[in-house]
Amino acid sequence: MSATHSSPALSVYNTLTRRKEPLAPLRPGEVRLYVCGPTVYSWVHIGNARTFTVFDVVVRYLRHRGYRVSYVRNYTDVDDKIINAARETGEDPAALAERFIEAFEDDARALGLLSPDVSPRVTEVIPEIRALIQALLDQGVAYAAGGDVYFQVSCWPEYAKLSRRNLDDLRAGERVTPGEHKREPLDFALWKAEKPGEPAWDAPWGRGRPGWHIECSAMSEKYLGTTFDIHGGGLDLIFPHHENEIAQSEAAQHIPLAKVWMHAGFLELENAKMSKSLGNVVQLRHALAKVDPEALRLFFLSSHYRNQLAFSDDALADAEKRMEYFYETLQRVDERLGGREVKPGPLHGDPDVHLRAFEQAMDDDFNTAGALAALSGLFAQLNEYLDKPPAPDRAMVVRTLATLRAVVPTMGGVLGILQSSPLAWLERRRDRLVAQRKLDRELVERLIAERSEARKQKDFARSDAMRNRLLEMGVELRDGAGGTQWKVRS
Ligand code: AMP
Ligand code: ZN
């Protein structure tokens, strides 16, 4: 069911040109993607998770479109924040970084994020970083001073082409902080001289450690080549991080670092960007203790990735209710199909229309909101065929239901949702609601058993009384082919 890259072009908004452009990979059939990964000094929050989910879906959709995708996402495991955090906990910075890499990978797995093909760490690419700095020194666009090495922004005329900032304004806003050896305020550190108690490596210009920006230039070149297709991250990385990456790489290589620059909008809490420095964060693991991971993904994908997205508990609860509707529909369809093999033959209408609408939306700069509308259209039709079959020909209705049902894993696979069996998902949802409402599960199950007994004895007054009592507790019953099922009303 996967489309091929010869279908009409997928368009992507490029921050560099401020336009949507047809995706034209540098190597036919292959997309090379680099995403700036986490700085591992704390637990990942759901703002970070939104950005990583956006690129996860980009990778999934490109693969669905038939592209081979080389996906690299790094770990920043050497950084001031890590050193400071380690000082607070009394840990070795490397041990602290390792601990948070493991925590990140657990959380990423729980959210259903695909593993990148390569997840390099700064500490693994020191030789490449040194070589790149040496190339910049050799070309006269970087200088060593006081054991540090700086990139000299005035030597790179294209500086600020990504962010389109005004250099004079930038200069006016920058200060050289004491202890730095910059010639000009906009120059930025490629290498920082060793300080006591900090990690350090040997280099021809003196022992020390890399500055932040240089790592992504070195890692992307190592794993994807000097020019690759898409570079991504959150909006906050446009300046200075990505601007500086471009300056370093392009001043050294004289070819573009990446063709397309994609940036995800912020997840906001009470109208402010969720960020560790503001302290308004919800850690991903805390969110996942309360809400289903697919519901969290659904929430992230409910708005276009370039929009800001407002976080609230209500929005998450709504997303989980929506997932419940999807899974309840699937469960009913599966009951109706009853595991029967459906014989080929004519169908009602054109089931492919939903997949085409889904792909059309995703082709338009990964419009996941539109893709979810297409998915909802498919579910609306499934429900219509379950409740009001459009024709008396039952075999044809069942065949159409089966064909529509078969599209669900394809769309769900692209968005990373609907990956569970309906029954298992609905049970997990029920368990969560039972715990949240502090319902007495034994009592519920006993009342349901008593009601079944009353029904068997045709004592309908009693069975109705039981049903009403359960309803008052917020428990709804559904009598199906496989017996009575119950759910907690939301
Ligand atoms: P950091 O670990 O802070 O370097 O961030 C990792 C990634 O998460 C980067 O791509 C950031 O741009 C992104 N990010 C950070 N905060 C948010 C937020 N509130 N909403 C969306 N993305 C974010
Ligand atoms: Zn980066």
Side-chain angles (χ1 to χ4, degrees), residues 16 26 156 158 161 220 225-229 245-246 249-251 253-261:
L16 190 63
L26 293 152
W156 171 248
E158 291 179 34
K161 70 176 171 182
S220 61
T226 40
T227 300
F228 54 93
D229 299 292
E245 280 187 39
I246 290 177
S249 293
E250 298 190 4
Q253 314 294 356
H254 306 282
I255 48 171
L257 170 57
K259 252 180 104 166
V260 177
W261 290 81

Side-chain angles (χ1 to χ4, degrees), residues 287-325:
L288 291 181
K290 287 204 232 151
V291 75
D292 171 68
E294 293 190 342
L296 184 55
R297 292 181 70 107
L298 187 71
F299 163 65
F300 288 151
L301 302 174
S302 61
S303 173
H304 190 273
Y305 75 87
R306 283 194 284 126
N307 296 339
Q308 321 294 43
L309 178 64
F311 172 78
S312 70
D313 288 333
D314 284 352
L316 279 194
D318 285 349
E320 196 169 293
K321 255 168 109 162
R322 190 82 189 139
M323 287 307 304
E324 181 178 46
Y325 156 79

Side-chain angles (χ1 to χ4, degrees), residues 149-170:
V149 179
Y150 295 93
F151 184 93
Q152 187 158 6
V153 167
S154 57
C155 294
W156 171 248
E158 291 179 34
Y159 193 76
K161 70 176 171 182
L162 180 70
S163 62
R164 303 194 181 177
R165 299 220 180 176
N166 178 297
L167 286 184
D168 291 331
D169 291 348
L170 284 176

